[in-house]
Amino acid sequence: MYKYVIKRILLMIPILLGITLIVFFIMSLTPGDPGRMILGQGATQEAVDKLNDEFGFYDPLPLKFGNYIIDILKGDFGVSYRTQRPVFDDLMVRLPTTLKLVILSLLIGTIIGIPIGILSAVKQYSALDVFSTFFALLIASIPTFWLGFMLIILFSLNLEILPSTGLESWKGYIMPVGIMAIGQAASLIRLTRSSMLEVIRQDYIRTARAKGVYEKIIVFKHSLRNALIPIVTVVGMSFARGLGGTLIIEKVFAIQGVGTFMFDAIGTKDIPVVMAGVIFLAAIFSLCNLIVDLLYGYLDPRIKAQYSK
Amino acid sequence: MSEKILEIDNLTVRYKSGNADVHAVNGISISLEKGKTVGIVGETGAGKTTTSLSIMNLLPERTGRIDSGTIKFKGKEILDMDYETIRSIRGKEISMIFQDPMTSLNPIFTVHEQLSEAVRMHSNLSKEDIDTKVKNVLNMVGISENRMNNFPHEFSGGMKQRVVIAMALINEPELLIADEPTTALDVTIQAQVLDLMKNLKRALNTSMILITHDLGVVSEMCDEVAIMYAGQIVEYGSLRDIYKGDKHHPYTVGLFGSIPNIKDKSKRLKPISGLLPDPTKLPVGCYFQDRCPHVMDKCRTIHPKYYINDNHKILCHLFEEDKHGQ
């Protein structure tokens, strides 16, 4: 098991290196140079050239890539062209905000979604099942930004009880977290329901009933753990995706998170920020994948047995 | 006469499938004395498994429905029991061995967890006592106790079936329903499992319902035999009635004709031609009419009644002149 974890962590190195390489070369194909970006259109060509020289902009590409990798290994992700501040520091300022949004919404969404999904499956075709399936489909069909604007109109403009922007007070979290959580819950309701329905039909559930196991134990012990595998996958991937992509919510509510940070960097061709963002997301995705895979092993001994091979 | 442990009377079960009703079991009656074994024989789809699930009230909730009939276990009506009563009987007084050992065990729990759970659901024994019980029952079915913390996927098919049997026996049930316990196993393992069940039956004086389509197994294990066809018992009798008697339902004759005979090399097998009738549209008259070599005009219009001779019953027009039944 430990061997497997170490192997997987070591495997992350070539993956991250490969991603860095690809993104680095794509970015170097785009026009523009750091000197002009930093100094602006009004600066003289001499000043721009001088700055470009300092950045190593005229070095051959392999050398530039090599230097970049060495810098990263030292923990230096370069300086943002736009803010003139170290990229890593900027990212770390934004990260807690996004983390809070993602973790809170995921937690709430999971706490709502999984139990309703279980109930829906256990009481298939009941009023609750019909209602929650309809609700899940409805939420899944509503675009996030539209829901965001509608809620802002309702709660901020008309009722004036919630702020429309920012996260200065706890009230600011209600709408953005609520919208993300409800979307998460909707997708988890559908997933949990179908996964549970599949497990409940299995022969071993009938075996459990035949030996007199209480219905509650059948649902929560025998069925749920078997049904959790696809659910764990989706929650894990939602977390990874959330860290890079709460962009729409951040834009709608003017929140300074990782999503906005990267989006603005792409718009202004702030290459060091884009690079750092991509590497960061790649690392998060690989880590989440690893954690999800380890949870598989915990949930299903057959998968665990494969890991120790 | 010893006491009746199970009396099924005129049981009718339907499944809902889309808009159609599947007539799975159409009025069967079986009664079983304590310590005896009854074999239920019939081809796939004859309603054998449905019958056995009904006894434990384990039919699929939404789709399966018991239309009429009674199932009395030790004199008490199973179909009227509340959840807790039937739950306390399942796995304790009536156990079931399922058909497919590959899918009957939960993949995420160890054999020990699954066996001890069966005990815990019905008693307040201490951890040590449960452990002893698990070890004993594993020894009984021939699985070494140092494998009890293994998961189902670490066992072979034959061993899994032993675990399933162990699970059914751990509470020493009064009635054991074995639904094709050997169908999924290869022949050598089959013999072992049958021997095992025979010994256990003797040791625990368990009554048994053995569902199979293997007439050889029936002759080894059973005291009485019910031949099922399209949800009805077409012939019922003692082992002697079925294997030696001179009057048989044409379907029973067909079943025996379908068994390869080593001594009789020159002849081909005589399979019963045709298929079971569509259970959503059962024919008027006898359900076996389309496949019966002795079919008469009235078979197409009138449903036959049982010919009854002591304990031997045949559902066929051929014998109606001899003695009228119910």
Side-chain angles (χ1 to χ4, degrees):
Chain A
M1 193 69 184
Y2 292 111
K3 250 188 181 165
Y4 176 79
V5 176
I6 291 166
K7 204 171 87 189
R8 285 286 303 265
I9 290 174
L10 288 177
L11 254 172
M12 281 170 63
I13 296 171
I15 291 172
L16 290 180
L17 214 61
I19 289 169
T20 312
L21 183 75
I22 292 167
V23 179
F24 188 87
F25 279 102
I26 290 173
M27 294 310 279
S28 63
L29 291 176
T30 59
D33 58 86
R36 186 57 76 190
M37 290 236 210
I38 291 167
L39 298 175
Q41 295 303 321
T44 61
Q45 190 60 43
E46 287 84 48
V48 168
D49 283 347
K50 196 168 159 263
L51 199 59
N52 278 343
D53 243 0
E54 269 176 47
F55 274 110
F57 181 70
Y58 300 119
D59 290 345
L61 214 49
L63 182 66
K64 273 204 312 200
F65 182 69
N67 284 336
Y68 184 66
I69 293 293
I70 290 166
D71 284 346
I72 288 177
L73 291 179
K74 287 184 203 152
D76 176 11
F77 282 85
V79 170
S80 163
Y81 294 164
R82 209 155 42 101
T83 63
Q84 313 286 315
R85 299 195 319 138
V87 175
F88 190 75
D89 296 1
D90 270 3
L91 189 63
M92 285 305 125
V93 170
R94 310 291 189 103
L95 190 60
T97 310
T98 303
L99 264 181
K100 264 187 254 171
L101 284 180
V102 171
I103 291 175
L104 265 177
S105 60
L106 212 58
L107 211 65
I108 295 171
T110 309
I111 290 171
I112 297 172
I114 291 182
I116 293 183
I118 294 171
L119 271 176
S120 238
V122 173
K123 308 245 177 257
Q124 197 188 2
Y125 303 131
S126 66
L128 173 106
D129 178 36
V130 172
F131 176 76
S132 63
T133 316
F134 172 76
F135 163 82
L137 191 67
L138 182 77
I139 293 296
S141 323
I142 293 178
T144 318
F145 72 90
W146 183 84
L147 187 61
F149 288 137
M150 290 305 123
L151 291 184
I152 287 177
I153 291 174
L154 180 64
F155 290 111
S156 307
L157 240 57
N158 294 345
L159 299 175
E160 294 183 33
I161 48 174
L162 293 175
S164 65
T165 58
L167 295 172
E168 283 72 36
S169 75
W170 61 269
K171 277 185 178 171
Y173 283 95
I174 292 178
M175 278 197 284
V177 168
I179 290 168
M180 287 197 289
I182 217 168
Q184 186 69 38
S187 75
L188 279 178
I189 286 172
R190 282 147 51 96
L191 187 72
T192 308
R193 180 179 181 272
S194 64
S195 187
M196 280 294 281
L197 281 177
E198 170 133 9
V199 172
I200 285 173
R201 288 197 200 102
Q202 296 294 318
D203 283 353
Y204 53 78
I205 298 301
R206 193 173 63 181
T207 309
R209 287 211 174 97
K211 64 180 181 181
V213 179
Y214 289 96
E215 207 57 28
K216 252 185 220 157
I217 301 179
I218 288 179
V219 171
F220 290 103
K221 197 174 149 202
H222 292 253
S223 314
L224 184 59
R225 225 178 106 185
N226 275 296
L228 269 180
I229 286 197
I231 298 169
V232 163
T233 317
V234 165
V235 172
M237 288 305 102
S238 302
F239 179 74
R241 213 175 323 115
L243 280 188
T246 55
L247 175 67
I248 292 170
I249 286 293
E250 287 176 17
K251 279 281 172 201
V252 170
F253 292 96
I255 295 164
Q256 297 299 310
V258 177
T260 328
F261 182 56
M262 285 191 51
F263 182 78
D264 293 346
I266 294 167
T268 53
K269 249 181 237 153
D270 196 345
I271 290 173
V273 175
V274 175
M275 287 295 306
V278 169
I279 295 168
F280 166 74
L281 280 183
I284 292 280
F285 261 96
S286 310
L287 264 178
C288 282
N289 257 325
L290 175 60
I291 292 167
V292 165
D293 284 355
L294 291 180
L295 280 174
Y296 284 176
Y298 166 74
L299 290 172
D300 191 335
R302 287 168 299 182
I303 298 174
K304 193 175 187 171
Q306 285 172 6
Y307 290 170
S308 40
K309 262 181 205 159
Chain B
M1 254 212 170
S2 59
E3 68 176 296
K4 292 256 190 279
I5 189 145
L6 183 76
E7 288 177 276
I8 301 176
D9 190 42
N10 197 26
L11 179 72
T12 308
V13 183
R14 255 186 247 183
Y15 289 111
K16 261 192 6 218
S17 159
N19 291 323
D21 269 2
V22 178
H23 298 262
V25 174
N26 305 301
I28 69 161
S29 304
I30 295 173
S31 84
L32 180 61
E33 280 169 31
K34 195 161 174 46
K36 296 276 189 206
T37 298
V38 61
I40 302 182
V41 184
E43 59 197 290
T44 306
K48 296 167 290 170
T49 303
T50 304
T51 306
S52 58
L53 287 175
S54 307
I55 297 170
M56 295 194 100
N57 208 350
L58 274 177
L59 288 171
E61 262 174 50
R62 221 173 325 283
T63 49
R65 198 176 74 232
I66 294 175
D67 264 4
S68 65
T70 57
I71 302 172
K72 286 204 176 83
F73 175 67
K74 293 199 292 185
K76 277 180 229 126
E77 177 57 53
I78 281 190
L79 302 177
D80 293 340
M81 287 177 184
D82 58 31
Y83 172 73
E84 178 52 32
T85 315
I86 185 72
R87 187 206 65 78
S88 66
I89 288 177
R90 288 177 190 158
K92 169 78 179 157
E93 291 172 69
I94 308 177
S95 291
M96 191 156 173
I97 299 170
F98 289 99
Q99 203 171 121
D100 188 353
M102 298 304 172
T103 57
S104 294
L105 295 170
N106 196 324
I108 60 173
F109 298 117
T110 64
V111 163
H112 181 271
E113 284 171 313
Q114 301 194 45
L115 286 172
S116 60
E117 186 178 44
V119 182
R120 259 187 290 119
M121 290 299 143
H122 301 288
S123 70
N124 295 316
L125 290 179
S126 69
K127 235 175 140 47
E128 291 73 33
D129 289 346
I130 293 177
D131 258 14
T132 321
K133 265 198 136 171
V134 170
K135 283 174 191 165
N136 285 343
V137 80
L138 283 176
N139 278 330
M140 205 153 69
V141 298
I143 291 176
S144 156
E145 59 180 62
N146 53 32
R147 297 211 50 193
M148 68 184 185
N149 289 320
N150 287 31
F151 289 97
H153 71 268
E154 294 166 296
F155 289 91
S156 68
M159 289 182 93
K160 270 187 221 170
Q161 188 64 314
R162 285 154 188 263
V163 173
V164 171
I165 293 173
M167 198 145 73
L169 294 173
I170 194 163
N171 289 318
E172 302 180 4
E174 292 170 61
L175 173 62
L176 180 65
I177 304 168
D179 186 359
E180 308 201 13
T182 58
T183 305
L185 305 176
D186 59 62
V187 182
T188 46
I189 307 290
Q190 267 187 31
Q192 285 177 31
V193 168
L194 288 176
D195 274 348
L196 174 77
M197 284 172 49
K198 248 188 191 163
N199 292 337
L200 295 169
K201 202 182 108 185
R202 217 170 294 141
L204 305 173
N205 195 28
T206 303
S207 318
M208 195 150 100
I209 296 177
L210 180 67
I211 295 168
T212 179
H213 43 236
D214 187 335
L215 286 161
V217 171
V218 170
S219 70
E220 286 233 348
M221 305 281 297
C222 300
D223 303 301
E224 295 187 346
V225 187
I227 310 281
M228 267 189 96
Y229 185 81
Q232 292 191 313
I233 293 176
V234 293
E235 183 165 355
Y236 188 95
S238 64
L239 208 53
R240 203 182 166 74
D241 291 333
I242 302 290
Y243 282 77
K244 291 274 187 328
D246 50 356
K247 286 186 176 123
H248 289 300
H249 191 279
Y251 180 63
T252 314
V253 176
L255 274 184
F256 279 93
S258 315
I259 307 172
N261 189 342
I262 298 180
K263 290 179 200 148
D264 201 6
K265 273 183 194 156
S266 56
K267 284 187 187 164
R268 287 166 158 265
L269 281 180
K270 285 176 265 152
I272 309 171
S273 60
L275 295 167
L276 275 167
D278 180 352
T280 60
K281 315 191 267 277
L282 287 169
V284 182
C286 176
Y287 297 160
F288 191 57
Q289 52 180 279
D290 290 339
R291 303 169 77 181
C292 184
H294 307 290
V295 64
M296 301 175 278
D297 285 345
K298 64 175 169 182
C299 300
R300 306 240 181 241
T301 49
I302 306 166
H303 200 83
K305 287 173 181 160
Y306 279 110
Y307 153 86
I308 300 175
N309 183 7
D310 275 346
N311 201 21
H312 190 193
K313 297 196 287 181
I314 303 174
L315 187 68
C316 183
H317 284 306
L318 280 178
F319 310 104
E320 259 179 3
E321 292 83 42
D322 299 344
K323 208 177 219 174
H324 270 285
Q326 48 193 104

